[in-house]
Amino acid sequence: MSSLRVLPLGPPGAGKGTQSRRIAEAYDINHISTGDMLRANKDMETDHGTPGEYMDAGELVPDPVMKAVVEEALSDLDGYVLDGYPRTLEQAEHLESVTDLDAIIYLTVDREELIRRLSGRRVDPETGQNYHVEFDMPDDPAVRERLVQRTDDEPDRVETRLEEYATKTRPVIEHYTDHEAFVEIDGNQSPDEVWEDIDAVLRDVGE
Ligand code: AP5
Ligand code: MG
């Protein structure tokens, strides 16, 4: 297990989840996905209601809930790729108070491409693996058969998520641009090309 701490940033559909899985495997670090953790605990009662109420609408889950979730997930971890946090300035300040970062990877993707990726995404409910109706379908017919669409990938929710990103998360990107570990990568490329760029950055960091 390595102690590399990686933060992928980018809008919904940028490929954070896709690339985080590759990073975690190649660098032998934990993949912490706030979206996946919340989806597994959608009905958990909190002082602010359940995560599912916000997620299904495409809105951000309140900061106090998120801070507690992430603090718990990062405790006792050495290396990690943290996928989905921070998404507000308050979360960014919180993250700085609990950990340092070795690489901050900002994936930029055009709006039309984001919409295409999100509307075509399908998820295997058994493994959590993401696919795409145009770019990446499983060979196994049994897997193809059981794929589902995420509730928040329906068109009106996608719109809300992109708005939440523009108003609440954009300032987080600006906050990190001056950080010495910040790198911008063209996320419009194919998954393999994006991965090559990320891998080149992380190999440098590790040296
Ligand atoms: P979360 O699950 O994190 O969703 P998201 O940020 O909207 O991001 P996505 O998972 O949609 O996109 P991604 O960048 O991971 O893209 P992916 O790799 O899947 O969060 C869900 C919800 O949880 C939030 O809306 C909120 O309610 C809540 N939440 C989570 N964290 C929170 C926080 N910190 N604060 C508050 N609330 C929080 O790729 C997308 C698709 O494109 C896939 O189909 C994939 O196969 C395809 N694809 C990927 N890369 C490429 C490529 N290069 N070329 C072509 N296709 C590609
Ligand atoms: Mg994701």
Side-chain angles (χ1 to χ4, degrees):
M1 196 50 70
S2 129
S3 58
L4 193 64
R5 293 156 302 184
V6 185
L7 181 68
L9 293 175
K16 300 181 297 294
T18 302
Q19 298 297 335
S20 292
R21 273 185 286 277
R22 295 178 82 151
I23 296 169
E25 199 186 320
Y27 288 87
D28 194 22
I29 52 181
N30 297 279
H31 177 196
I32 306 295
S33 160
T34 52
D36 289 349
M37 287 192 293
L38 292 170
R39 274 184 288 280
N41 294 283
K42 265 183 129 170
D43 300 324
M44 176 180 73
E45 289 294 342
T46 76
D47 291 346
H48 304 266
T50 66
E53 290 166 32
Y54 300 91
M55 299 173 77
D56 288 346
E59 293 164 7
L60 293 185
V61 173
D63 287 335
V65 178
M66 293 314 302
K67 290 192 214 174
V69 165
V70 166
E71 205 156 323
E72 162 82 25
L74 292 187
S75 66
D76 300 330
L77 282 193
D78 258 349
Y80 57 77
V81 48
L82 179 57
D83 164 12
Y85 189 94
R87 278 164 132 109
T88 64
L89 279 176
E90 190 174 328
Q91 292 179 15
E93 277 155 24
H94 168 252
L95 187 63
E96 268 152 41
S97 74
V98 294
T99 186
D100 289 327
L101 296 165
D102 301 307
I104 302 170
I105 295 174
Y106 172 40
L107 299 174
T108 57
V109 177
D110 300 336
R111 186 184 162 88
E112 276 145 51
E113 175 69 11
L114 293 174
I115 294 173
R116 196 151 73 111
R117 289 189 191 172
L118 294 173
S119 57
R121 173 166 53 192
R122 296 293 181 273
V123 184
D124 180 351
E126 286 191 18
T127 62
Q129 176 73 37
N130 286 338
Y131 296 95
H132 194 282
V133 291
E134 277 178 76
F135 314 123
D136 175 25
M137 279 299 265
D139 295 329
D140 183 345
V143 178
R144 277 207 298 275
E145 188 85 358
R146 67 178 185 234
L147 296 182
V148 294
Q149 182 172 35
R150 260 168 58 174
T151 312
D152 63 346
D153 280 344
E154 285 165 27
D156 57 328
R157 310 318 139 72
V158 166
E159 208 47 54
T160 307
R161 284 160 66 202
L162 291 173
E163 263 170 50
E164 287 278 83
Y165 177 80
T167 54
K168 296 179 182 159
T169 310
R170 277 294 322 177
V172 173
I173 311 292
E174 261 119 60
H175 171 83
Y176 281 118
T177 30
D178 292 334
H179 195 294
E180 56 183 12
F182 184 88
V183 192
E184 186 170 322
I185 286 179
D186 178 7
N188 291 293
Q189 309 174 89
S190 74
D192 286 347
E193 287 166 334
V194 175
W195 165 245
E196 276 169 34
D197 287 357
I198 292 177
D199 192 29
V201 168
L202 295 181
R203 260 183 279 138
D204 259 6
V205 171
E207 273 165 15

